[in-house]
Structure formats: structure tokens, C-alpha cells
């Protein structure tokens, strides 16, 4: 039997490409900080925070809208990756809880809360949007099947849980993480099947679509 060979290592990026990749990472990290603090901030504030020239930023992102769209696209891909990983876990309830914990720790949902409505969504991201709906449904289905998730909870309730955690922010990032984890633990306890009956109807399909409509003030 022929021995399996190791895949060939990718050649290192050239000096110019490596610098461009570093700049892109700096720009996205800076944009996240700037726009989560103030979605109306100018794109020049991102260049300043990243320590790159405005021309370098515009070569990669021709407009503020393009940069905002990229941030949300990256966040959605991370969300889906965490959901896919959670679905590998054998217990449906544990999978749902671990998924919520990882998304809260990664602060992925803050992008949706703060940046929705600041740009026009791109249809190219539709497969990721569809996939997020599918994995949410499957996580909730499996948690219901475990008997540990209260029956009236639906997949859209997950967004409300994540909204609540993302709303918590104090100047100290470590304390923010602590408070979000504490709040999530209380909310997870409320999702358990042995809790009191929830008041009001569950969220409806499309009920939060309005948040993605482009706002006139951005």
C-alpha cells in the first residue's frame, strides 16, 4: 500500500501580500472596535485606529458600507461555524448551551445588534443566512428531543437571548464578559423544561427583519 503523503505546504506570501494581509487584519479589528462603539463614526477613524493610511484602507474597502458589510459577513460565518461545531455534540441540550456560550464569548451577535441597518445586505451572503436558519432550527429540534428544553421555545428565541447578552457592555472588557456569562446562565435556566410557563407568544418568522432595513441616518 502506498504511503500517504503530507499535503504540500503553502508558499509564504510575498512581502507586499503579507503586508496587505496584516493591514486587512488590523483594519477589520479596528473597524469592529470603532463601529461597535459608534456605528456613525467616519471611516477615517478606522484608519487611525488601525494605524494605516486612508489610501490603504480604501484600496481594500472602497466605502464604509463595504467595510460594514464585511464585518457582518465575518460575524455570520463565525456564528455558523460555532453552530456546526455544536451539532457534533451528542447531547442536544448541551449542544445548544455550549453554542450560546461560545457565541456570547466571541461577541458575534453584537455586530447584528449594532450594525444592522447601516448597510444594504448583499445577496451573495444569502447561503450563509439560510444556513444560520437551518442550524438554529436543528439545534432547537435536538434540544427539544432531549426533553430538557421547554416546548414553547423556538429557534427565534435564541436571537432574543443573544440580544440580551450583547446589550451588556461596561468599559472594562473583562467585566463585560463576566456579566454576559452570568446573564446567559440565568437565561439558560429560563429555557429549561422545568421552568414556569412563559408569557406571550413566541417570536414569529420575519418579526425582526425590519432591523436590516437601511436607516436614513447612516
Amino acid at each position: 500500500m502506498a504511503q500517504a503523503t503530507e499535503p504540500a505546504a503553502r508558499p509564504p506570501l510575498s512581502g507586499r501580500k503579507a503586508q496587505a494581509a496584516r493591514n486587512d487584519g488590523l483594519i477589520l479589528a479596528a473597524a469592529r472596535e470603532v463601529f461597535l462603539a459608534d456605528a456613525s463614526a467616519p471611516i477615517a477613524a478606522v484608519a487611525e485606529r488601525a494605524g494605516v493610511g486612508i489610501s490603504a484602507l480604501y484600496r481594500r474597502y472602497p466605502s464604509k458600507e463595504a467595510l460594514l458589510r464585511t464585518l457582518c459577513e465575518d460575524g455570520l460565518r463565525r456564528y455558523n461555524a460555532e453552530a456546526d461545531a455544536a451539532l457534533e455534540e451528542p447531547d442536544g441540550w448541551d449542544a445548544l448551551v455550549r453554542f450560546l456560550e461560545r457565541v456570547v464569548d466571541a461577541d458575534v451577535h453584537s455586530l447584528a445588534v449594532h450594525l444592522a441597518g447601516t448597510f444594504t445586505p448583499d445577496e451573495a451572503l444569502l447561503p450563509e443566512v439560510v444556513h444560520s436558519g437551518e442550524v438554529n432550527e436543528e439545534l432547537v429540534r435536538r434540544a427539544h428531543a432531549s426533553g430538557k428544553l421547554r416546548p414553547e421555545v423556538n429557534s427565534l428565541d435564541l436571537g432574543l437571548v443573544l440580544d440580551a447578552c450583547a446589550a451588556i457592555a461596561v468599559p472594562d472588557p473583562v467585566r463585560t464578559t463576566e456579566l454576559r456569562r452570568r446573564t446567559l446562565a440565568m437565561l439558560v435556566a429560563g429555557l429549561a423544561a422545568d421552568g414556569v410557563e412563559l408569557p406571550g407568544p413566541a417570536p414569529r418568522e420575519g418579526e425582526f427583519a425590519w432591523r436590516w432595513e437601511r436607516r436614513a441616518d447612516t
Side-chain angles (χ1 to χ4, degrees), residues 24-41:
D24 195 44
L26 291 171
I27 289 168
L28 289 176
R32 179 185 175 91
E33 294 176 8
V34 168
F35 293 137
L36 285 184
D38 179 9
S40 65

Side-chain angles (χ1 to χ4, degrees), residues 4-5 11 47 49 58 62 69 87 107 127 132 141 145 147 184 188-189 201 216 218:
T5 57
R49 179 72 63 90
Y58 275 120
R69 185 182 297 114
L87 288 173
D107 199 17
S132 69
R141 186 197 68 77
L184 178 61
V188 165
T218 57

Side-chain angles (χ1 to χ4, degrees), residues 68-106:
L68 289 167
R69 185 182 297 114
T70 299
L71 282 175
C72 281
E73 288 175 356
D74 287 351
L76 181 54
R77 291 190 179 97
R78 174 68 183 275
Y79 182 98
N80 286 345
E82 296 293 0
D84 288 337
L87 288 173
E88 296 297 320
E89 299 194 23
D91 182 87
W93 171 256
D94 289 344
L96 180 63
V97 173
R98 297 291 87 77
F99 163 70
L100 291 170
E101 289 174 345
R102 288 194 290 262
V103 169
V104 168
D105 280 350

Side-chain angles (χ1 to χ4, degrees), residues 137 154-157 160 200-210:
E137 289 283 355
N154 69 22
S155 63
L156 297 176
D157 281 308
L160 297 181
R204 297 183 296 273
E205 186 69 33
E207 192 166 6
F208 302 103
W210 60 267

Side-chain angles (χ1 to χ4, degrees), residues 25-179:
L26 291 171
I27 289 168
L28 289 176
R32 179 185 175 91
E33 294 176 8
V34 168
F35 293 137
L36 285 184
D38 179 9
S40 65
I43 199 168
V46 176
E48 182 178 358
R49 179 72 63 90
V52 302
I54 192 70
S55 59
L57 189 154
Y58 275 120
R59 279 196 298 271
R60 181 65 182 88
Y61 301 99
S63 66
K64 177 180 175 179
E65 178 160 326
L67 183 51
L68 289 167
R69 185 182 297 114
T70 299
L71 282 175
C72 281
E73 288 175 356
D74 287 351
L76 181 54
R77 291 190 179 97
R78 174 68 183 275
Y79 182 98
N80 286 345
E82 296 293 0
D84 288 337
L87 288 173
E88 296 297 320
E89 299 194 23
D91 182 87
W93 171 256
D94 289 344
L96 180 63
V97 173
R98 297 291 87 77
F99 163 70
L100 291 170
E101 289 174 345
R102 288 194 290 262
V103 169
V104 168
D105 280 350
D107 199 17
V108 170
H109 202 68
S110 289
L111 294 169
V113 171
H114 292 281
L115 301 186
T118 62
F119 65 94
T120 302
D122 191 335
E123 287 189 4
L125 195 61
L126 185 58
E128 294 288 346
V129 174
V130 171
H131 186 61
S132 69
E134 292 172 344
V135 290
N136 282 346
E137 289 283 355
E138 182 61 12
L139 283 167
V140 168
R141 186 197 68 77
R142 293 182 60 211
H144 277 145
S146 75
K148 299 175 185 177
L149 177 65
R150 56 169 67 243
E152 66 268 38
V153 170
N154 69 22
S155 63
L156 297 176
D157 281 308
L158 302 186
L160 297 181
V161 170
L162 295 172
D163 277 1
C165 293
I168 300 168
V170 297
D172 181 355
V174 173
R175 186 60 179 146
T176 293
T177 298
E178 291 175 344
L179 291 172

